[in-house]
Amino acid sequence: MHFLSKFFLLSDEQTPIGNAPNWQISVLRILLSLGMLLCFAITLHTFGLGLKYNFITVLILPALFFITTSALLSLSARFYHFTAHTLLLAIVFASVCMNFFLINLKLAQVGSMYMFALS
C-alpha cells in the first residue's frame, strides 16, 4: 500500500517531482492507470474474437492504446504537460477509431461522447 501511495503521490509530504504540483501529477497518474486497466481488459476481451474472425484492427487498436497509456504513465512525472496533452490527443484518436470501426451505432456513440467530454 505504501508503494501505491508513493507512486500516485497521495501524500502531501513529498516534494514536487517536476514542474507541476503533486496533485496534478497524481490525478494524471490515476487517470492513466485506469485507462491502462480499461485498455487491458478490452484487449483481453476482444483477443479471442479477433483471432476467431481474423479482425486485425480488433487486435491492434486496443493493444496500441494499452501501450500508449503505459508509456504515458511512465513519462507522467518528468514530462507532465507533454503527457497531459498526448493523453488528450490519444482520447481524440480513440474516439475517431471508435466511430470509424464500430458497426453498432449505439456503441459508436460512445466515441462521440468522449469527444464531447473533451470540448
Side-chain angles (χ1 to χ4, degrees):
M1 201 64 183
H2 177 68
F3 170 74
L4 291 176
S5 176
K6 186 176 178 183
F7 180 74
F8 288 120
L9 302 173
L10 299 177
S11 173
D12 290 336
E13 299 163 356
Q14 296 174 350
T15 58
I17 295 175
N19 54 357
N22 280 350
W23 69 270
Q24 288 179 344
I25 297 171
S26 177
V27 169
L28 182 64
R29 283 186 173 181
I30 291 170
L31 284 173
L32 286 170
S33 298
L34 292 175
M36 193 173 75
L37 285 174
L38 180 66
C39 290
F40 184 69
I42 291 171
T43 302
L44 287 180
H45 179 71
T46 59
F47 187 74
L49 291 173
L51 287 178
K52 182 178 178 181
Y53 295 113
N54 198 19
F55 289 145
I56 301 300
T57 56
V58 171
L59 300 173
I60 292 175
L61 286 174
L64 177 70
F65 288 116
F66 175 75
I67 292 168
T68 302
T69 53
S70 301
L72 290 175
L73 185 62
S74 66
L75 295 173
S76 64
R78 289 190 196 143
F79 306 106
Y80 170 76
H81 293 288
F82 171 77
T83 305
H85 289 103
T86 307
L87 176 63
L88 291 175
L89 290 175
I91 292 172
V92 168
F93 184 68
S95 300
V96 169
C97 287
M98 288 174 75
N99 288 332
F100 187 67
F101 289 111
L102 288 176
I103 297 169
N104 188 348
L105 292 178
K106 291 188 179 188
L107 285 176
Q109 289 176 350
V110 174
S112 300
M113 285 184 234
Y114 287 148
M115 294 284 272
F116 179 74
L118 287 177
S119 62

